[in-house]
Amino acid sequence: MHTPTGTWSDAEKARFVRERLPAGGLFADLDWRIGPAPFVVGPALAAELETLGRVLLQFYRATDRLYRQSVAGEQPGWIAALLDQGKPPELIALQRCPAFKGDTPRVIRPDILLTDEGFSITELDSVPGGIGLTAWLNETYAQLAPAEAPAQAAPALEPGRTPEGPPRQLVGDALSMIEGFQSLFPQAARVHIVVSEEAAAYRPEMRWLAARLGDRFAVRDGQFQDFQPGEAAYRFFELFDTVNVPAAPALFDLAAAGQIQLTPPPKPLFEEKLLFTLLWNRNLREFWRRELGEKFFLKLQRHVPYSWALDPAPLPPHGAVPELGLTDWHQLKSLSQRERELVLKVSGFSPEAWGARGVFLGSDLSREQWSAAV
């Protein structure tokens, strides 16, 4: 096995990374192009990314509180109605279950788009792929010495060993993802990572992660139901897919009874893309300021694009959609290519609402294609 040195060429560094790919791969049926160095984000962006978690967690907590207050009549009823639409009664009941009150996903991944004006958070994912992949990337690239300090190269890492040597200039560090995932389940006797067939492409990365974490962690398919009190489960399937996961009913019942720990909780509101439309709704501005604090509220509005929920209900003749000036959503169809620098996406309870499916970029489509999408 090669050991990296400061005099390696880019091709040699890329070969070193490729040699460390797990035998079972990371994503099923995918090949990789290898970079000789991590993607550079710069110190200012790195600092912002490392403080983003607290902001997003507070947003999720506030969203959960907003929904429950809407159900209780302490906030307008349209909020719960919007978030519940299209959901089966059993999932709505779980979402409102007292056992899950205040429970939020323990892993949150913002999808971030870098622009000339800064970064934009295009959506939040509470059932994200890439946990094992990111852990592997950090662990692997931590072993490549920075070009300015070739003498600090780390020795080769055998599978299952902890990287040694000085810390690398990575967002997080070599083991942050591994240690972070492990910390979600400090008391659990066993941790079952339940991956559905819909999400099967991500099984290899989670198998790598489970092997890295030791015998307490295991990857299961959707048929597995041998959950025992005192254990924990990581739900790696979207709630729209619950009907195709035989393990789901037992998993949810045991979690509701407090016999096992479950994350993400079975609350479909956290899988809704339209949460950002609530952040921008002027009727809720004071709620967000109170629940998030002015600093977090302004930070989110700075990085979250203006968002709308497409609602077929007619507006009054004197009404208009804010920022767009439309009086009817069908008017979206006739916008010029320059005017439709907009993204239309399927939200919520749909197999088309994840993995970049159901996303339409208006400026890239013909008027006919855009009109059909609307």
Side-chain angles (χ1 to χ4, degrees):
M1 182 67 71
H2 294 299
T3 300
T5 74
T7 59
W8 271 16
S9 67
D10 283 351
E12 288 172 316
K13 291 176 182 177
R15 188 177 304 114
F16 172 82
V17 173
R18 183 175 291 280
E19 287 174 348
R20 312 208 79 73
L21 280 167
L26 288 161
F27 287 0
D29 303 320
L30 288 181
D31 295 319
W32 299 89
R33 297 180 67 183
I34 305 296
F39 181 78
V40 177
V41 297
L45 178 54
E48 280 212 78
L49 293 176
E50 290 186 324
T51 61
L52 198 55
R54 289 177 56 221
V55 181
L56 300 181
L57 176 59
Q58 190 63 19
F59 175 67
Y60 265 176
R61 286 172 173 167
T63 301
D64 187 63
R65 193 170 299 119
L66 179 64
Y67 173 81
R68 288 186 175 272
Q69 290 178 354
S70 176
V71 171
E74 299 166 7
Q75 291 285 349
W78 63 263
I79 299 165
L82 186 66
L83 292 170
D84 284 344
Q85 67 180 356
K87 315 301 189 303
E90 57 271 22
L91 280 180
I92 294 175
L94 281 169
Q95 182 155 268
R96 300 181 180 188
C97 177
F100 300 118
K101 183 179 181 179
D103 200 359
T104 57
R106 303 295 302 278
V107 180
I108 307 171
R109 187 196 69 200
D111 287 355
I112 289 177
L113 185 67
L114 298 182
T115 74
D116 292 338
E117 292 76 36
F119 69 88
S120 289
I121 304 172
T122 59
E123 67 177 64
L124 296 183
D125 196 340
S126 61
V127 192
I131 299 172
L133 169 64
T134 307
W136 178 85
L137 287 169
N138 269 28
E139 189 174 278
T140 301
Y141 279 97
Q143 298 169 68
L144 291 176
E148 66 272 17
Q152 296 183 353
L157 175 69
E158 296 304 320
R161 285 189 53 208
T162 300
E164 299 172 354
R168 302 296 177 224
Q169 293 180 341
L170 295 171
V171 176
D173 57 38
L175 295 178
S176 58
M177 287 295 291
I178 294 173
E179 292 171 347
F181 193 80
Q182 186 177 45
S183 72
L184 303 182
F185 314 100
Q187 306 299 327
R190 293 274 290 168
V191 180
H192 306 280
I193 304 171
V194 182
V195 185
S196 68
E197 288 307 307
E198 182 84 6
Y202 301 102
R203 258 191 215 128
E205 64 160 340
M206 298 311 285
R207 285 188 178 128
W208 178 88
L209 180 63
R212 197 70 180 81
L213 289 167
D215 293 341
R216 198 163 64 96
F217 290 77
V219 175
R220 311 294 188 184
D221 62 25
Q223 304 290 331
F224 182 85
Q225 299 188 41
D226 188 21
F227 306 106
Q228 301 298 320
E231 295 182 338
Y234 184 80
R235 174 175 66 85
F236 206 139
F237 57 90
E238 304 271 355
L239 290 172
F240 75 80
D241 196 28
T242 296
V243 292
N244 299 315
V245 182
L251 192 60
F252 297 159
D253 288 346
L254 288 168
Q259 295 188 43
I260 66 168
Q261 178 189 352
L262 173 66
T263 195
K267 299 165 79 167
L269 71 93
F270 291 123
E271 295 172 24
E272 277 287 354
K273 306 298 188 292
L274 58 76
L275 290 186
F276 284 161
T277 74
L278 301 179
L279 178 70
W280 282 102
N281 189 291
R282 193 176 183 90
N283 295 313
L284 300 175
R285 183 173 294 180
E286 291 312 308
F287 170 86
W288 294 119
R289 279 202 165 101
R290 182 175 67 253
E291 296 296 328
L292 298 175
E294 186 74 6
K295 182 179 178 181
F296 281 10
F297 175 63
L298 293 177
K299 185 180 181 74
L300 277 175
Q301 287 210 323
R302 188 164 64 250
H303 293 298
V304 172
Y306 203 104
S307 305
W308 305 265
L310 269 68
D311 186 339
L315 294 175
H318 50 276
V321 177
E323 302 294 318
L324 291 176
L326 305 177
T327 58
D328 185 309
W329 281 115
H330 288 286
Q331 293 169 5
L332 272 178
K333 301 175 184 177
S334 60
L335 295 182
S336 69
Q337 191 164 30
R338 179 173 295 180
E339 290 175 316
R340 59 176 184 264
E341 290 188 344
L342 303 166
V343 176
L344 187 67
K345 61 170 65 176
V346 175
S347 178
F349 206 74
S350 168
E352 297 303 313
W354 72 281
R357 307 172 187 184
V359 176
F360 305 90
L361 178 57
S363 58
D364 273 6
L365 300 176
S366 68
R367 177 169 292 189
E368 292 73 20
Q369 291 169 322
W370 175 249
S371 179
V374 172

